[in-house]
Amino acid sequence: MEVIFLGTGTSTGVPYINCPCDVCQSTDSKDKRLRSSVLVSVDTKEILIDCGPDFRQQAIVNDISTISAVLLTHEHFDHVTGIDDLRAYGEVEIYAEERVCQSLKRTIPYCFGEIKYPGVPLISLHEIDEMPFDLHNTEIVPIRIWHHKLPILGFRIGAFAYLTDISGIDDKEYEKLQNLDVLVVDALRLKPHFSHFTLEQAISFAEKTNAKEVYFTHISHQLGKHDEIQSLLPHNMMLAYDGLKITI
Ligand SMILES: [Zn+2]
Ligand SMILES: [Zn+2]
Ligand SMILES: [Zn+2]
């Protein structure tokens, strides 16, 4: 299995528009973060998790030639606004919870009418819930997480789990996070935030799962410069950065 981090930034991306801070002014490419998304290559499938406003740029930079399916964590715009650009990939299957499917039907109704407007993306929506499901012979295990008071999903595929936009998780879900080779988890910044883990919360959550390797994502400019924060982390924990590829 291979995972490419297409974007590792929070909803504003990094740099934040017009921000004079050291991180936004940094010339290190690791301090440039598009909105969060990963592409997972597994069992001859290319599975995209989330499809935000930077998807077009991410697809071009990473030369993404096929997409077998899209998994959506939740309906916030930094995770779904790129869906219109999926038209380049023919018919695309999107897997999301019922509430997220309803939200898409409201925000991009022209993709779902009986008679479709010519040229729109061809989307087939598949409603999922917390139950594991089969994606053309690959098992996907949804993980229930809390994004403030909004119940959203993370996903486990094999020994890889991706949990973005997390501020809490119920004890029962830890069972699904045993024996992970790689855990990717939201670590927004150092100061507390109502709907995201801080770096400290993300580290203690990751330690509780015993994942072998941990990558942090959905990072704000307020976290600090990539290299400075990386130097403070435990040996098996890394800040992800855009374009990073890992093999699991
Ligand atoms: Zn987000
Ligand atoms: Zn800044
Ligand atoms: Zn969100």
Side-chain angles (χ1 to χ4, degrees):
M1 186 188 310
E2 192 178 71
V3 175
I4 307 178
F5 289 86
L6 303 178
T8 57
T10 188
S11 55
T12 59
V14 182
Y16 188 97
I17 295 171
N18 289 330
C19 181
C21 85
D22 276 0
V23 177
C24 292
Q25 297 301 317
S26 166
T27 53
D28 183 348
S29 62
K30 290 179 181 169
D31 290 320
K32 314 272 180 224
R33 300 183 186 277
L34 298 176
R35 267 58 72 93
S36 291
S37 170
V38 285
L39 185 70
V40 182
S41 305
V42 58
D43 304 335
T44 70
K45 284 181 280 290
E46 305 291 327
I47 301 172
L48 181 70
I49 306 184
D50 288 335
C51 186
D54 298 317
F55 173 70
R56 174 181 170 275
Q57 191 181 343
Q58 292 162 333
I60 291 169
V61 169
N62 294 283
D63 212 5
I64 300 174
S65 56
T66 51
I67 289 183
S68 318
V70 180
L71 309 178
L72 296 178
T73 59
H74 65 304
E75 64 272 46
H76 286 165
F77 262 35
D78 55 321
H79 299 262
V80 301
T81 326
I83 286 173
D84 193 80
D85 290 315
L86 292 171
R87 67 180 67 182
Y89 297 94
E91 190 162 344
V92 175
E93 294 186 322
I94 295 182
Y95 293 78
E97 289 192 90
E98 198 233 337
R99 186 196 69 236
V100 178
C101 293
Q102 295 304 332
S103 169
L104 293 181
K105 287 176 186 168
R106 284 194 302 273
T107 50
I108 43 171
Y110 56 88
C111 296
F112 302 104
E114 284 287 297
I115 302 162
K116 291 192 178 61
Y117 194 80
V120 299
L122 300 171
I123 294 168
S124 61
L125 271 182
H126 298 257
E127 272 183 26
I128 56 170
D129 53 26
E130 290 171 42
M131 294 303 290
F133 64 95
D134 176 69
L135 181 66
H136 307 299
N137 300 320
T138 297
E139 188 189 41
I140 311 290
V141 181
I143 317 278
R144 171 63 68 211
I145 57 178
W146 292 97
H147 187 23
H148 186 47
K149 289 180 181 166
L150 188 69
I152 69 166
L153 293 179
F155 297 102
R156 177 177 184 151
I157 306 172
F160 167 78
Y162 183 81
L163 307 180
T164 189
D165 294 58
I166 176 174
S167 56
I169 182 166
D170 296 339
D171 284 343
K172 68 176 173 53
E173 295 302 277
Y174 280 90
E175 216 175 282
K176 299 179 187 166
L177 298 169
Q178 299 301 305
N179 303 312
L180 286 174
D181 286 343
V182 172
L183 168 70
V184 179
V185 62
D186 174 7
L188 183 78
R189 63 184 190 187
L190 302 174
K191 281 193 198 151
H193 189 279
F194 69 101
S195 63
H196 295 273
F197 274 165
T198 61
L199 182 62
E200 199 183 329
Q201 289 169 326
I203 290 171
S204 60
F205 165 70
E207 283 169 344
K208 239 175 126 178
T209 68
N210 284 316
K212 286 192 192 125
E213 276 185 9
V214 180
Y215 292 85
F216 300 113
T217 191
H218 210 284
I219 291 167
S220 160
H221 65 142
Q222 295 165 327
L223 181 66
K225 283 191 185 173
H226 182 281
D227 286 356
E228 287 169 17
I229 298 297
Q230 179 60 56
S231 68
L232 307 172
L233 295 177
H235 73 280
N236 65 332
M237 300 194 185
M238 277 69 68
L239 291 190
Y241 54 86
D242 291 17
L244 173 65
K245 281 185 197 167
I246 55 174
T247 303
I248 298 150

